[in-house]
């Protein structure tokens, strides 16, 4: 290891030569080498993480180049994991790289993660995130989770001792999937912010300096329209369908490819829907500052912790969920659909768009 390469981080008292040695001895597997995985992998390789695995079955497409900064136009048509390996090896010849150029499923994910300390989730679909979480918990690894939707992003750390897992946040896969980047659209720099944050979380976990406070039991979110961030406490669910179980009882299921998308409505469409019932999923202080007349209040934080179907939901009428800008209400709709609720809609642009139309 050439210490001169890492001198700018070694001089930080939180890193030092001891921290750099820990980075060199660490192993990290990044599942997904796309919008999130690209910046995460670049910074982990540059920081000197000794062993890095790259798992991605997809091929580089021209449309990826807007945000997947590992690749160039010359990589179009190549497998992402293999193209990423070449790029990262040229960036840092001192590290070891391993590629998994196939789709991960319940049969091969455990063998893929077994030789890695930390797993970075760079995927963009709900069912794969559940598979990764379950395999991580079953094999007692640490998961650095990240997700983006439009202009919104979130990061957390799951699987740490006494900390929650992904299913403590979302107990089961929804009957509708989150739209991926190809369907919902994304600004490349949003993926960059979240991916870099995942890299920083991974470095904090590896180095373990006493001043570091990684996102264990915390969900960090950012709305890049306003650059507002929030940090919400997550609790370990004693009834969690995965992390409350012994490892041998955790069953893995392959990702489902048969999900339908959550329905969305614009403000104009919502106002034309007769007898539609509105639910505000923002927190109390936001509700107190103003809300849609006639709406019911069901904070997302309460919904996450509840095992029951809220009694406020109507049986027959369409239910339109909204938050500030549309991200939290989408998550609320996913949770409610996982509980078996139907006829749910997410208000595009949230309360901000509603106010703009008044």
């Amino acid at each position: 290891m050439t210490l001169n390469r890492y001198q700018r981080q070694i001089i930080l008292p939180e890193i030092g030569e001891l921290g750099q040695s820990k980075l060199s001895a660490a192993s990290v597997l990044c599942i997904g080498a796309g919008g999130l995985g690209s910046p995460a992998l670049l910074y982990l390789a540059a920081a000197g993480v000794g062993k890095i695995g790259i798992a991605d079955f997809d091929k580089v497409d021209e449309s990826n180049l807007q945000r997947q900064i590992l690749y160039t136009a010359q990589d179009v048509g190549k497998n992402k994991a293999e193209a990423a390996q070449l790029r990262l090896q040229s960036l840092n010849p001192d590290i070891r790289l391993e590629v998994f150029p196939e789709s991960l499923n319940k049969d091969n994910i455990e063998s893929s993660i077994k030789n890695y300390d930390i797993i970075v989730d760079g995927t963009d679909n709900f069912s794969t995130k559940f598979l990764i979480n379950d395999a991580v918990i079953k094999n007692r690894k640490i998961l650095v989770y990240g997700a983006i939707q439009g202009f919104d992003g979130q990061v957390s750390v799951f699987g740490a001792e006494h900390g929650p897992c992904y299913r403590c946040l979302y107990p089961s896969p929804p009957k509708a999937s989150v739209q991926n980047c190809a369907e919902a659209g994304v600004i490349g720099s949003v993926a960059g912010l979240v991916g870099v944050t995942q890299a920083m979380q991974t470095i904090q976990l590896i180095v373990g300096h006493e001043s570091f406070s990684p996102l264990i039991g915390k969900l960090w979110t950012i709305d890049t329209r306003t650059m507002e961030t929030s940090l919400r406490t997550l609790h370990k669910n004693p009834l969690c369908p995965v992390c409350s179980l012994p490892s041998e009882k955790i069953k893995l299921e392959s990702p489902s490819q048969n999900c339908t998308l959550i329905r969305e409505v614009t403000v104009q469409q919502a106002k034309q829907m007769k007898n539609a019932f509105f639910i505000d999923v923002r927190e109390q202080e936001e509700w107190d500052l103003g809300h849609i007349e006639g709406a019911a209040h069901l904070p997302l934080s309460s919904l996450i912790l509840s095992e029951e179907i809220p009694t406020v939901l109507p049986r027959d009428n369409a239910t339109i969920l909204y938050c500030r800008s549309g991200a939290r209400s989408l998550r609320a709709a996913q949770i409610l659909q996982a509980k078996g609720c139907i006829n749910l809609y997410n208000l595009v642009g949230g309360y901000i768009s509603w106010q703009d139309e008044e």
Side-chain angles (χ1 to χ4, degrees):
M1 177 176 66
T2 305
L3 292 182
N4 185 57
R5 172 188 288 272
Y6 310 113
Q7 190 59 36
R8 294 299 185 272
Q9 60 195 44
I10 289 175
I11 61 175
L12 293 167
E14 294 84 356
I15 304 295
E17 291 191 12
L18 177 59
Q20 192 61 51
S21 296
K22 290 180 178 180
L23 288 168
S24 180
S27 59
V28 176
L29 173 64
C30 186
I31 302 179
L36 299 179
S38 286
L41 285 164
L42 281 167
Y43 278 99
L44 292 173
V49 172
K51 180 183 177 182
I52 296 177
I54 313 159
D56 203 313
F57 68 93
D58 202 7
K59 293 182 178 181
V60 180
D61 185 82
E62 185 179 18
S63 65
N64 300 149
L65 302 180
Q66 165 256 5
R67 66 196 177 280
Q68 299 182 18
I69 56 175
L70 263 175
Y71 313 111
T72 68
Q74 286 68 44
D75 293 319
V76 171
K78 298 178 183 178
N79 171 262
K80 288 182 181 179
E82 294 171 347
Q85 180 188 32
L86 292 174
R87 174 72 176 87
L88 296 173
Q89 201 73 77
S90 66
L91 172 66
N92 192 346
D94 296 334
I95 63 175
R96 291 175 294 152
L97 294 161
E98 183 178 16
V99 297
F100 301 87
E102 66 272 347
S103 178
L104 296 186
N105 55 54
K106 65 182 179 64
D107 298 317
N108 63 14
I109 190 168
E110 289 186 272
S111 62
S112 299
I113 71 174
K114 68 178 182 179
N115 294 322
Y116 291 89
D117 305 318
I118 297 174
I119 312 302
V120 175
D121 177 5
T123 63
D124 68 352
N125 71 83
F126 228 121
S127 55
T128 302
K129 289 182 180 297
F130 277 99
L131 173 64
I132 294 170
N133 174 81
D134 298 355
V136 163
I137 301 303
K138 183 178 177 68
N139 290 272
R140 298 180 180 177
K141 306 292 183 178
I142 300 295
L143 174 62
V144 179
Y145 157 79
I148 55 175
Q149 182 77 17
F151 290 89
D152 299 286
Q154 56 184 225
V155 178
S156 189
V157 173
F158 297 123
E161 186 178 7
H162 307 305
C165 79
Y166 184 58
R167 285 191 188 263
C168 294
L169 179 61
Y170 302 118
S172 59
K175 296 180 180 179
S177 66
V178 180
Q179 291 177 294
N180 60 32
C181 296
E183 297 159 334
V186 66
I187 297 292
S189 53
V190 177
L193 278 169
V194 173
V196 168
T197 303
Q198 289 179 276
M200 188 63 222
Q201 287 298 297
T202 303
I203 291 170
Q204 285 192 9
L205 290 165
I206 294 169
V207 174
H209 191 271
E210 62 183 6
S211 69
F212 292 156
S213 181
L215 295 168
I216 298 171
K218 293 175 282 188
L219 181 70
W220 176 84
T221 64
I222 183 168
D223 179 350
T224 61
R225 294 180 184 89
T226 62
M227 297 308 293
E228 291 181 301
T229 61
S230 67
L231 197 61
R232 194 172 83 236
T233 300
L234 300 178
H235 298 284
K236 185 177 177 68
N237 181 3
L239 301 176
C240 175
V242 170
C243 70
S244 68
L245 300 176
S247 296
E248 63 272 15
K249 291 189 176 182
I250 298 175
K251 296 182 179 180
L252 304 181
E253 297 180 1
S254 289
S256 171
Q257 304 299 326
N258 298 316
C259 295
T260 57
L261 298 177
I262 288 175
R263 292 173 291 182
E264 294 189 326
V265 291
T266 64
V267 171
Q268 294 88 344
Q269 292 170 331
K271 289 183 176 181
Q272 294 174 2
M273 294 174 65
K274 294 182 179 180
N275 300 319
F277 186 73
F278 288 85
I279 294 182
D280 189 321
V281 303
R282 298 174 300 161
E283 299 307 310
Q284 186 66 50
E285 59 270 20
E286 298 173 279
W287 165 269
D288 292 340
L289 291 174
H291 51 267
I292 296 174
E293 185 177 356
H297 188 212
L298 180 62
L300 177 62
S301 57
S302 300
L303 181 60
I304 289 172
L305 297 175
S306 175
E307 294 292 323
E308 305 297 327
I309 296 176
T311 56
V312 71
L313 282 167
R315 288 177 177 269
D316 302 315
N317 295 353
T319 301
I320 301 174
L321 295 97
Y322 74 91
C323 59
R324 182 181 182 278
S325 60
R328 283 176 289 171
S329 53
L330 178 61
R331 295 199 292 275
Q334 293 158 2
I335 293 171
L336 289 172
Q337 286 198 340
K339 296 177 183 291
C341 300
I342 60 174
N343 210 12
L344 302 172
Y345 294 82
N346 183 44
L347 184 65
V348 177
Y351 189 59
I352 293 175
S353 294
W354 185 274
Q355 288 181 304
D356 290 342
E357 293 293 327
E358 290 294 282

